[in-house]
Amino acid sequence: MLAAVEAGGTKFVLAVGPSPDAITARHTIPTRDPATTLAEAAAWFAGHGRVSALGIGSFGPVELDRASPRWGFITTTPKPGWAGTDVARHLAAALGGVPVGFDTDVNAAALAEHMARGGGGSGSLAYLTIGTGIGGGLVLDGRPVHGIAHPEVGHIYPRRHPDDREFPGTCPHHGDCLEGLASGPAVIARWGASLSELPADHAAHAIIADYVAQACHVLFASVAVEEVVIGGGVAQTPGLVERIAARARELDAGYLPGGARHRIIAPRLGTDSGIIGAMLLAAQAAAEA
């Protein structure tokens, strides 16, 4: 049996099963303080017997360098109380010292969406989550992209929309980066409601689509990925993914050599991308142990 955690800023999704495509039990708990949340997760896993490996896809930033003594930590997150939390080792110890696969929640989701495409390990894909925060994961030829750290696509600076010049942004570090302008809290801060609650003809829809489309264009132009998969709570707003795709085509203006091969789509796995990706991380950890 494998164990998996999709660790989000709002909730932790827990799962066990014999393989990534066969989850036999799952459970969701709210993300409270680290001690309470990790203890509750460990207690749930304890009720499901022994597991051979654990996969964790976590909100970040996180430390992914295996040579670092802080590998498996959530590092400089603005989430109150969570900066400097050793998630991987804490949960591994609670499960009896099992091997752990650890990555960002968006890289885990990107892995799962890449698997769902079929076609083996070739090809390229990016996963963007638009929710409480904005994050991006990249998979090239079946492997998540890591440099000296992991991508932070949510903290690029888009060009300001002409009808959105005054809003300062909500990111505590950068103000009007992509996350500060297009995340769920950013929408509520300037319009008083979530994007899905606003009328279909409200200007917010075009503004948010423009910002996310700029991020997609950056991914197409800089990494030449074939697909950008857009998930997260904000992305579930009816029509938003289609708006983003249309705006990205306008921004490209027929220039990029990938042409129609560049696609912007909703997740094939729906809301399960993150937890299935965490199961894939567990399966990899078990295979490498």
Side-chain angles (χ1 to χ4, degrees), residues 11-122:
K11 63 184 179 181
F12 271 42
V13 180
L14 317 173
V16 294
S19 68
D21 58 356
I23 293 174
T24 55
R26 69 170 69 200
H27 183 55
T28 300
I29 60 176
T31 305
R32 294 187 282 264
D33 63 277
T36 302
T37 307
L38 296 178
E40 191 170 348
W44 186 82
F45 284 126
H48 288 81
R50 179 149 181 90
V51 298
S52 59
L54 170 66
I56 303 171
S58 176
F59 71 94
V62 296
E63 178 57 75
L64 299 179
D65 181 1
R66 283 271 184 181
S68 169
R70 290 173 61 83
W71 173 83
F73 277 60
I74 294 173
T75 58
T76 56
T77 179
K79 177 73 175 173
W82 281 85
T85 298
D86 186 354
V87 175
R89 290 184 182 86
H90 184 105
L91 289 176
L95 295 179
V98 296
V100 180
F102 183 75
D103 212 319
T104 63
D105 50 355
V106 284
N107 264 348
L111 277 172
E113 287 293 323
H114 186 270
M115 176 198 72
R117 289 179 65 193
S122 63

Side-chain angles (χ1 to χ4, degrees), residues 200-231:
D201 59 352
H202 194 284
H205 295 276
I207 291 170
I208 298 306
D210 177 66
Y211 289 141
V212 179
Q214 289 186 56
C216 294
H217 180 72
V218 167
L219 290 165
F220 290 146
S222 60
V223 193
V225 293
E226 295 168 51
E227 289 183 346
V228 179
V229 181
I230 301 181

